[in-house]
Amino acid sequence: MLSDSIKENIQTAYRAYLEAKGHKARVGQRHMIATIARTLGNIRQGSEGERLGEKHVAVVEAGTGTGKTLSYCLSAIPIAKAKGLKLIISTATVALQEQILHKELPSLLEYTDYTFRYTLAKGRGRYLCLNNLESFLSAEDQATEDMFAGLFEQHLTPDDVNTVLYQEMDDSLRDGKWDGDKDNWEGVIREQDWRRLTTDHQQCTNRNCANFSACPFFKARAELETADVIVANHDLVLADLSLGGGAILSDPKETIYVFDEGHHLPDKAIGHFRHEVRLQQSISWLKQLDKNLINLRQELTDEVSLTGQILLKLPQQIQSTINFIQYAQQGLAPFIQNLGLDEDSRQHRFEFGVIPDELRQLAYSLSTSYQKLFNQIENIQDECKKVKQNEGMGLTEETAENWLPILGVILGRLEACVELWKLYAALDDQNYPPNARWLLVVGQGLEQDIELGGSPILAAHTLRMQLWDKCFGAVVTSATLTALNEFHRFNMRSGVPRESEYLRVVSPFDFQSKGTLVVPNMTSEPNHAEAHTKELITYLNDNVDTSLGSLVLFSSRRQMEEVAAGLKDNLKDIMLIQGEQSKRIILESHKDAIDGDKGSLLFGLASFAEGVDLPGKYLTRVYIAKIPFAVPDDPVEATLAEWIQRRGGNPFMEITIPDASLRLVQATGRLLRSETDSGEIHILDKRLHTKRYGRQLINSLPPYKQI
C-alpha cells in the first residue's frame, strides 16, 4: 500500500511547488499525481525486493496544459527512492529531454524538499571515441582505414577528413575544455564529420581499449550508477532491453520507467526489430571481406594459432554464404519479373508474411551460414582481446589493437544479416500476429539490386516479454494515447497488461471559446487529387491572412509543392516550405517574421503536425489539407490489415480510422499551446461531412467551436 509518509511527502511537495511558482492546483493534475502514486505505491515486493502481482503499469492520457511532467516527477521520484529503485524517464524528442533536465528536475530540487541525483543517459553515438579520433590524426592509421574501406558503409577519402576540426577536439580534450559529448561541443559539427568519430557496441572494445579510463562514454556511464533519476530516450531504452536489460541502463526489475510521449513507443519498438538487407550488395561486401582477411593472415606471427586456423576456414565459409545468396537471387527472379518497370510497383509484399518454402529453407541455410561467419569472426575478436591481456597467441598487441574496431564493424554487419535471415527462416506462431516480409527492387540497370525486408507488424508481444513483464513498474503518458476516445489502439500496439490503471485527464484549455473549427463545403474529395489541389489553392488564396502566423499541413509532398506553386505572389512572399531549409531554421525564420509584425505562412508535412510548438501570435491559423490517412503501400501496415481481416475484423475501422483520428488530434493540437492562445483550424476535407466516420473523427477532437 502507498504509505502515509510518502503520500504526505508528495502532497507537501506539490503545495510547496505551487506556492513557489504562484500557480493554482489543477484538478486534472491532482488526479494524475494520485493515480500514478497509487499504482506505483501499491506494488507489493517480495523478500528480495522483487515485484509481486501484475497491476504495475499506469497509462495516462494528459491533455496539453495538464502539467504531466511535474505530475509524474512528483509522484514517482519519492516512491522509487523509498523502494530502492532507479527511475528512468524516457522521451521521444530532444526538446522534452532538455525541458526535463534543465527545467523540471532543477525546479523540483529548488522548490521542494526532495533530494535526488539525476543525469542524462545517451547512446555511444553521442560520445567521441578516442581511438577513432587518434586514427584520424595519424597518417598511418588513415592508411589502415583506406585498406578496409570496402567494409564500411561510409568511407572518407583523405581530402574529406576534417583534420582541423579533429585537432581542435583533441586540444580541447587535453585542456579539459570539452568532455567528448557531441551536445557539449560549442561549434557546429557536420554529421559526416561526427559519424566517423563514434562507435557502437560491436566496435567498442570496452576495458580492452587503451583509452578506456579516459573514454567519454564510460565516464558518463559511471554517473548512471549513482543517479536516482535517469533521463533517456525510447531508442536507448529499447536498445538496452534488446540486450536483455541492464546492459546500458539499470536492470528492468530494479527500475520504474516513465515513458513520456509514450504514443511513440510501439512504433519505435517495431522500428528496432525491422531489418533490411540488399542481396548483391551483400555479395560484394562478403567478397571484400574475404580479400581484407588476407591482410590479417599476413600479420600473424604464428599461422597455426587459433586465429590462423580460423582464417584458413573462412574463405570457404564466405563462398558458401555467397552461393546461398545467389540461389536466393535466382529463387526471387519470378517475383521480380511480375513487378512493373515503373517506380510505383517496385515492391512485392508476401501475403500474410508467408514466403515460399524454398526461400524459407534458403533463409535457414543463410542464417546458419551467417551465424557461423559471425561466430568465427567473434572468435578472432576474442583472440585479439586475449592478446591485449597477454594471453593470446599468433598476434602482436599492435595488430590486435588495430583489428579490434574493424572486427566490430564486421560483426555489426553480420549480426544484421543473421537477424534478417532468421526472420525469413522462421515459421510464425499462429497464436501471435505474423511478421511482414517484402522485397523491393532498388537501382536501375547494372546497379539494380533486391532488398529484402522484414518486420513485426505489432510490437505488443515483444514489449510484453521484454518490458512490461520484466520491469518493476511503469507509467506511460502522452497527450494522445486514445484514438476515437478509447485506449484500444494503444493497447493493441503496445501490449500493456490488461490489469493496467487507465486515466484520461482533460486539458484545462477552454477550447470552446479559444478555438474555432472550420470544415468548409469543399466540392472535391481528396482522392480526386488534381481537383482537390486546385480547390486548396483557391481556398488558401482567398482565406489566408498575410498579417498572421499560419501553418498548412499536407499528407503529400507532391500536393504541397503543387499548392505552393499555385499561390498568389503575396502569399509566396511570406511562405516557408519544409525541406527547403532545416526545420529549426524554418521555425526560427517564421518566429522572426512574426516578431517583426509581419505575416508568415508555413507549409509542412507529418513532422510539422507533431512536436511543433508555436504559442501565442506565432500561430493563429492551422489549415489541414485532408484527413491524414496512412500511406496504403506500407508493407507492415498492409500485413497488419490482412491479419485483422483474417480474424474477422474490419481493418479500415480498426486501424485506418483510429490512426487518422490520432494524427488529426496531433495536427489540430498545434494551435492552442497555452491557456491564452486562440485561433482557427480549417480542415479542407469534405469527407468529415459526407462520410459516417467523419462525425467520429470530429467527435474525437477537443470541443472546439464549430462553424
Side-chain angles (χ1 to χ4, degrees):
M1 293 293 290
L2 181 64
S3 69
D4 290 337
S5 61
I6 291 180
K7 191 183 300 183
E8 177 62 28
N9 192 10
I10 294 171
Q11 291 171 345
T12 301
Y14 187 40
R15 286 193 296 268
Y17 187 94
L18 293 176
E19 183 178 344
K21 288 284 193 175
H23 295 167
K24 292 182 179 180
R26 298 173 180 173
V27 174
Q29 189 173 56
R30 291 171 60 186
H31 285 170
M32 184 172 178
I33 293 170
T35 297
I36 294 173
R38 183 173 62 251
T39 301
L40 300 179
N42 288 346
I43 299 173
R44 294 179 295 114
Q45 291 178 275
S47 58
E48 298 184 3
E50 74 278 14
R51 168 173 56 82
L52 301 176
E54 283 292 307
K55 202 167 184 178
H56 61 295
V57 179
V59 180
V60 183
E61 180 179 83
T64 306
T66 302
K68 63 180 183 298
T69 309
L70 174 63
S71 299
Y72 60 68
C73 287
L74 272 171
S75 48
I77 289 174
I79 293 173
K81 285 198 68 178
K83 292 180 178 291
L85 304 165
K86 293 281 189 184
L87 176 66
I88 293 179
I89 301 174
S90 178
T91 76
T93 62
V94 174
L96 182 55
Q97 265 192 350
E98 291 179 345
Q99 177 187 327
I100 294 168
L101 277 167
H102 304 307
K103 181 181 177 183
E104 304 293 350
L105 294 177
S107 291
L108 272 180
L109 288 173
E110 181 178 357
Y111 300 128
T112 72
D113 61 358
Y114 283 7
T115 56
F116 58 89
R117 288 168 292 187
Y118 64 92
T119 190
L120 175 64
K122 303 178 185 178
R124 282 182 173 85
R126 306 303 295 180
Y127 295 97
L128 173 87
C129 171
L130 294 173
N131 274 359
N132 287 350
L133 178 63
E134 289 178 359
S135 74
F136 281 106
L137 294 175
S138 165
E140 180 181 343
D141 285 340
Q142 280 184 32
T144 302
E145 164 74 1
D146 291 339
M147 186 187 303
F148 295 97
L151 297 179
F152 295 85
E153 295 292 348
Q154 300 290 336
H155 175 65
L156 296 179
T157 65
D159 291 340
D160 293 326
V161 177
N162 195 340
T163 308
V164 174
L165 172 66
Y166 297 161
Q167 189 61 60
E168 287 179 7
M169 289 180 167
D170 189 53
D171 293 342
S172 295
L173 285 165
R174 294 178 188 278
D175 295 342
K177 297 178 180 178
W178 184 47
D179 59 1
D181 183 334
K182 180 185 179 183
D183 300 317
N184 294 336
W185 180 256
E186 291 186 358
V188 176
I189 308 177
R190 296 185 308 169
E191 183 59 32
Q192 60 264 41
D193 291 333
W194 180 254
R195 186 169 56 242
R196 305 300 294 181
L197 297 181
T198 62
T199 189
D200 57 29
H201 78 282
Q202 286 289 5
Q203 296 177 62
C204 178
T205 56
N206 209 303
R207 294 184 181 277
N208 294 301
C209 176
N211 290 307
F212 176 78
S213 61
C215 175
F217 171 70
F218 283 103
K219 281 186 174 181
R221 277 282 302 275
E223 293 184 19
L224 301 184
E225 300 296 325
T226 59
D228 302 300
V229 180
I230 299 170
V231 181
N233 61 48
H234 298 347
D235 288 320
L236 186 61
V237 172
L238 289 166
D240 182 58
L241 294 173
S242 69
L243 295 172
I248 304 171
L249 302 169
S250 52
D251 191 316
K253 66 176 180 287
E254 299 170 355
T255 303
I256 292 174
Y257 296 90
V258 174
F259 294 100
D260 202 340
E261 301 174 315
H263 63 283
H264 285 290
L265 188 62
D267 288 339
K268 289 279 188 182
I270 287 179
H272 204 74
F273 297 99
R274 177 175 177 141
H275 304 287
E276 283 137 336
V277 166
R278 295 187 180 183
L279 301 188
Q280 192 57 45
Q281 187 183 74
S282 296
I283 291 174
S284 300
W285 185 82
L286 286 167
K287 288 179 178 178
Q288 183 68 42
L289 173 62
D290 194 16
K291 291 178 183 178
N292 289 132
L293 289 175
I294 294 173
N295 295 310
L296 180 55
R297 283 190 62 189
Q298 293 173 344
E299 295 184 40
L300 292 178
T301 59
D302 181 1
E303 288 204 3
V304 298
S305 65
L306 178 58
T307 300
Q309 294 176 41
I310 294 172
L311 287 171
L312 282 174
K313 298 175 183 177
L314 274 173
Q316 182 179 354
Q317 186 61 48
I318 290 172
Q319 187 57 52
S320 175
T321 308
I322 290 173
N323 292 342
F324 283 130
I325 296 174
Q326 290 172 334
Y327 295 149
Q329 287 176 315
Q330 295 169 15
L332 291 169
F335 296 100
I336 305 301
Q337 292 167 4
N338 290 333
L339 296 178
L341 298 178
D342 62 295
E343 289 294 325
D344 294 331
S345 59
R346 295 171 68 82
Q347 176 181 281
H348 172 81
R349 182 181 59 80
F350 297 99
E351 290 187 4
F352 300 106
V354 177
I355 60 175
D357 284 342
E358 312 86 72
L359 179 58
R360 191 169 55 78
Q361 290 166 9
L362 267 175
Y364 176 78
S365 298
L366 271 161
S367 66
T368 303
S369 189
Y370 266 115
Q371 187 65 59
K372 287 179 180 177
L373 268 178
F374 181 91
N375 294 341
Q376 289 168 327
I377 298 295
E378 192 174 44
N379 286 336
I380 295 176
Q381 185 187 57
D382 289 341
E383 287 301 300
C384 288
K385 291 177 180 178
K386 288 179 181 177
V387 169
K388 293 181 68 62
Q389 297 164 358
N390 298 318
E391 297 176 7
M393 306 214 18
L395 293 164
T396 66
E397 185 171 342
E398 182 182 2
T399 299
E401 186 170 328
N402 288 336
W403 269 83
L404 273 170
I406 296 166
L407 294 171
V409 173
I410 295 169
L411 286 172
R413 180 70 172 262
L414 293 174
E415 186 177 40
C417 293
V418 168
E419 292 303 319
L420 182 280
W421 291 113
K422 275 185 178 179
L423 192 148
Y424 265 69
L427 275 173
D428 294 334
D429 189 330
Q430 296 301 305
N431 295 316
Y432 298 101
N435 289 290
R437 298 176 178 88
W438 66 92
L439 66 83
L440 183 68
V441 179
V442 296
Q444 299 284 350
L446 295 175
E447 300 296 320
Q448 183 172 292
D449 203 347
I450 302 171
E451 180 177 278
L452 289 183
S455 170
I457 60 172
L458 289 175
H461 182 57
T462 300
L463 286 173
R464 179 76 193 222
M465 290 191 303
Q466 297 195 5
L467 174 58
W468 313 125
D469 284 353
K470 289 184 177 181
C471 72
F472 184 89
V475 176
V476 185
T477 186
S478 168
T480 49
L481 286 178
T482 62
L484 300 175
N485 301 309
E486 295 181 351
F487 284 100
H488 173 74
R489 178 190 182 278
F490 181 75
N491 290 349
M492 178 182 72
R493 293 178 180 267
S494 69
V496 291
R498 293 180 181 178
E499 303 84 357
S500 300
E501 188 80 25
Y502 293 91
L503 175 69
R504 289 190 73 188
V505 179
V506 178
S507 170
F509 295 173
D510 185 358
F511 293 98
Q512 185 67 32
S513 64
K514 296 291 187 178
T516 301
L517 175 63
V518 181
V519 184
N521 292 316
M522 306 290 284
T523 303
S524 306
E525 285 196 0
N527 55 334
H528 298 107
E530 185 177 348
H532 184 248
T533 297
K534 289 181 179 178
E535 200 168 358
L536 286 179
I537 293 170
T538 300
Y539 189 89
L540 294 175
N541 279 332
D542 293 343
N543 288 277
V544 172
D545 188 330
T546 56
S547 67
L548 301 177
S550 302
L551 169 65
V552 188
L553 294 169
F554 296 89
S555 299
S556 157
R557 178 173 293 278
R558 179 176 178 177
Q559 186 177 58
M560 179 175 74
E561 292 172 349
E562 289 177 353
V563 171
L567 292 186
K568 295 187 296 188
D569 289 343
N570 64 331
L571 292 182
K572 288 181 179 178
D573 290 342
I574 63 169
M575 186 167 54
L576 296 165
I577 303 175
Q578 181 180 356
E580 293 187 349
Q581 292 176 298
S582 73
K583 185 176 180 180
R584 179 181 60 82
I585 291 175
I586 285 176
L587 293 176
E588 286 178 357
S589 299
H590 173 83
K591 290 180 179 179
D592 288 343
I594 301 299
D595 288 338
D597 293 325
K598 300 175 183 177
S600 180
L601 178 61
L602 287 173
F603 270 33
L605 299 166
S607 63
F608 272 59
E610 183 183 1
V612 170
D613 191 19
L614 296 170
K617 64 180 181 179
Y618 291 127
L619 187 59
T620 55
R621 297 289 186 275
V622 174
Y623 300 88
I624 300 171
K626 61 182 179 180
I627 299 169
F629 288 123
V631 178
D633 59 356
D634 179 76
V636 177
E637 291 297 316
T639 306
L640 175 59
E642 272 184 342
W643 176 70
I644 287 176
Q645 192 164 20
R646 185 169 62 180
R647 292 163 59 89
N650 182 332
F652 185 74
M653 297 307 299
E654 293 184 39
I655 303 175
T656 307
I657 295 300
D659 286 2
S661 168
L662 189 69
R663 294 189 187 98
L664 203 56
V665 170
Q666 290 167 344
T668 59
R670 296 315 93 214
L671 182 66
L672 304 184
R673 307 303 298 168
S674 73
E675 293 185 55
T676 58
D677 289 356
S678 62
E680 296 175 3
I681 299 164
H682 299 242
I683 306 178
L684 311 178
D685 192 330
K686 67 179 295 185
R687 292 173 295 185
L688 290 174
H689 287 319
T690 61
K691 302 295 184 182
R692 185 179 64 178
Y693 59 76
R695 179 46 54 186
Q696 289 180 279
L697 292 173
I698 289 177
N699 289 341
S700 69
L701 298 175
Y704 301 109
K705 177 184 177 183
Q706 297 182 37
I707 60 172

